Amino acid sequence: MRLAILIKHLEEFAPLNYQEDYDNSGLLIGNADQEIHGALVALDCTEAIVDEAIAQNCNLIITHHPIVFKGLKKLTGKNYVERVVLKAIRHNIALYAIHTNLDHVKYGVNGVISQRLGLKNIKILSPKTSLLKKLVTFCPTAQAAAVRSALFEAGAGGIGNYSECSFNAEGTGTFRAGEDTNAFVGEKGVRQHESEVRIETVFLVQDERKVLLALFENHPYEEVAYDIYPLGNRLDTVGAGMVGWLEHEMDGKDFLHLVKDRMDAEVIRHTKLLPKRIKKVAVCGGSGSFLLKDAIAAGADAFVTADFKYHEFFDADEKLVIADIGHFESEQFTSNLLIDIIQEKFPNFAIRLTEHNTNPINYFI
């Protein structure tokens, strides 16, 4: 299988434009046209992971965290990042990372955490904006239905749980065809008045090329009149963190036991347990302290995440319980998610879960 085919599937699930500006998701090393005969999946890419890929005859490594995160100015092997890159190149192993874009989709990293904790009615804690655009076009009345259907088929018109959404208004368009035209209606050099429908619909930013191609291929006019507007609307299905409800409320200590067990965490750093019982829970895989205000605003009784600094624990201000389970622990099941995503589409593709624990943190208990 060509690597490009697998990448296309992964990026349909978690589009690259959903990643944070600081991130470096996507194909890091390799050629999208190369043939891949096996993939190894891990949370991090280390030298041991590359050695495992070599031993298992895998020429692709898929990780959550990108090994190339900041700019590389030299490749001399002086640190583990450079050594990993050099070894991967030497053995013709492609490296692909799917990081904050996988964090930001509903059934991504935070969806896995929510599922493991048994949360119900989950929703994005901090939805992203500027991921939608509006298309406005003008079409002869008789062809409007066909153009709308083509736009919907290309992915336009989705709003929440609704599809094929559009607004339509009838009016009159005018134009005068020049000598070098092949006008659909009207005479050259004569102003034409045509009954038209103004069609408005929204689409995801990453679908713009596909939507415009559908418009141009199905619109009857030689020159298609259209406008595209960027929208600042929230996209409630994409963003950071999640929040949901436990099936049964529980006291703080029982909740921490649940988290420790379900997330396979060796230790939990937490704020003072509060008198109120835990019912509504916010989660964020990885470093989630930036979402504390959102968790409080959402009315969460607890916030399960990682990488809180000492002074940040004070910011809970006895409004909720912070449960810091560790970065690796919060994201360790991401590798299983990636395997499920790939096997659902390519059940016969050789994909393996790493046998290595890449957590750089050890606990003395």
Side-chain angles (χ1 to χ4, degrees), residues 137 144-145 148 152 164-170 197-200:
T137 189
R148 272 195 302 270
F152 297 153
E164 301 189 5
C165 302
S166 69
F167 178 78
N168 303 270
E170 295 184 356
V197 175
R198 174 190 172 106
I199 303 172
E200 299 184 25

Side-chain angles (χ1 to χ4, degrees), residues 31-83:
N31 188 319
D33 288 326
Q34 74 183 82
E35 289 291 321
I36 49 172
H37 47 255
L40 182 68
V41 179
L43 188 65
D44 308 281
C45 192
T46 64
E47 291 177 83
I49 295 297
V50 179
D51 288 337
E52 184 181 6
I54 295 169
Q56 298 296 336
N57 196 31
C58 295
N59 61 343
L60 169 65
I61 298 173
I62 303 171
T63 61
H64 183 48
H65 297 136
I67 182 66
V68 180
F69 200 70
K70 299 177 181 178
L72 286 175
K73 294 185 178 181
K74 298 178 181 179
L75 282 174
T76 61
K78 68 178 181 180
N79 57 48
Y80 87 96
V81 173
E82 294 180 10
R83 290 193 295 272

Side-chain angles (χ1 to χ4, degrees), residues 245-256:
W245 285 259
L246 293 169
E247 189 168 359
H248 303 289
E249 64 181 31
M250 57 182 65
D251 65 32
K253 187 173 290 186
D254 288 340
F255 175 72
L256 292 180

